[in-house]
């Protein structure tokens, strides 16, 4: 397990699928993700199982985010499309429980994962994508040290209009300075 100040990152368990299924189908949560249809409980179980296979192959490391104090599952975070030659990966995070939004749990989970990515996996860069209407997430990423690197204009359709996709990244050397 990876332990932060507020969170514990652990491997996803099959038992997590039922709870994740509830949250992935909450529109208020899902609007920030590249998901556009309801997910069944079976599909969520398949996601958990596929995360194990991806971990074995070394392409993705996906973790459950638990509240350190209560032990409650509050979200997921992962390194995706790990490129071992160029030592980079894409970060994805979702705090599924809305009671935990805006309270520093996401930032702590990201810092904890970045420490693992840079200190244990020896990655050089972590990047992410965020949609222009997700202001809370952008503030969180900037707080942790991510910098805006580019914009894919009008690349995401949500709520009847086009939105920009913003790319952000952080280098190992920048993380060490934080």
């Amino acid at each position: 397990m990876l332990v932060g100040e507020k969170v514990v990152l652990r491997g996803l368990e099959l038992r997590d699928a039922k709870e994740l299924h509830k949250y992935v189908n909450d529109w208020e949560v899902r609007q920030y993700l590249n998901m556009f249809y309801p997910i069944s409980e079976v599909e969520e179980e398949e996601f958990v199982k596929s995360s194990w296979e991806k971990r074995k192959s070394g392409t993705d490391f996906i973790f459950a985010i638990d509240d350190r104090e209560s032990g409650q599952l509050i979200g997921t975070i992962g390194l995706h499309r790990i490129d071992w030659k160029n030592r980079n990966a894409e970060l994805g995070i979702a705090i599924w429980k809305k009671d935990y939004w805006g309270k520093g749990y996401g930032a702590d989970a990201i810092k904890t994962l970045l420490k693992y990515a840079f200190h244990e996996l020896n990655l050089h860069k972590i990047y992410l994508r965020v949609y222009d209407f997700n202001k809370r997430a952008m503030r969180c990423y900037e707080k942790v040290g991510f910098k805006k690197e580019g914009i894919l204009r009008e690349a995401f359709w949500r709520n009847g209009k086009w939105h920009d996709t913003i790319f952000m990244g952080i280098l190992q050397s920048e993380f060490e300075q934080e």
Side-chain angles (χ1 to χ4, degrees):
M1 291 193 230
L2 308 174
V3 180
E5 291 178 20
K6 294 181 165 215
V7 301
V8 173
L9 307 184
R10 61 169 174 79
L12 281 175
E13 300 287 347
L14 202 51
R15 64 181 157 78
D16 296 325
K18 189 171 188 116
E19 192 162 356
L20 291 173
H21 172 254
K22 271 191 309 195
Y23 297 110
V24 78
N25 286 306
D26 179 336
W27 175 250
E28 194 176 355
V29 175
R30 196 175 69 218
Q31 69 178 324
Y32 300 113
L33 306 173
N34 190 15
M35 303 173 80
F36 52 90
Y37 58 87
I39 303 294
S40 71
E41 198 170 314
V42 171
E43 288 172 303
E44 196 61 38
E45 286 178 6
E46 288 304 313
F47 166 77
V48 171
K49 289 176 185 176
S50 75
S51 77
W52 302 336
E53 293 305 314
K54 290 177 179 179
R55 185 183 311 226
K56 285 182 205 171
S57 71
T59 60
D60 290 54
F61 292 168
I62 302 171
F63 300 93
I65 304 171
D66 288 344
D67 173 5
R68 186 172 167 182
E69 192 174 300
S70 71
Q72 228 180 27
L73 174 66
I74 64 168
T76 54
I77 190 168
L79 297 171
H80 305 281
R81 288 173 282 290
I82 299 171
D83 178 341
W84 294 105
K85 178 191 174 293
N86 295 303
R87 296 176 38 217
N88 65 60
E90 182 172 8
L91 182 137
I93 181 172
I95 301 296
W96 301 104
K97 289 200 172 193
K98 293 180 274 189
D99 295 350
Y100 288 83
W101 287 3
K103 297 181 179 171
Y105 288 89
D108 188 49
I110 293 167
K111 285 180 200 171
T112 303
L113 187 63
L114 290 176
K115 184 176 179 184
Y116 175 71
F118 293 136
H119 295 179
E120 296 302 321
L121 301 180
N122 195 30
L123 295 177
H124 173 68
K125 178 180 183 168
I126 305 299
Y127 62 92
L128 59 83
R129 290 177 265 184
V130 62
Y131 305 117
D132 63 3
F133 60 89
N134 196 349
K135 304 296 186 200
R136 184 179 58 250
M138 282 189 271
R139 283 191 304 273
C140 173
Y141 301 143
E142 288 172 342
K143 176 180 161 187
V144 172
F146 281 81
K147 300 191 181 356
K148 289 181 184 170
E149 296 186 334
I151 298 174
L152 204 55
R153 297 177 306 129
E154 296 187 5
F156 185 69
W157 180 256
R158 181 67 86 212
N159 294 324
K161 65 185 224 180
W162 290 105
H163 296 277
D164 294 343
T165 300
I166 299 166
F167 287 86
M168 301 178 78
I170 187 169
L171 303 174
Q172 182 181 19
S173 59
E174 294 167 337
F175 179 73
E176 300 304 333
Q177 293 172 357
E178 290 293 318

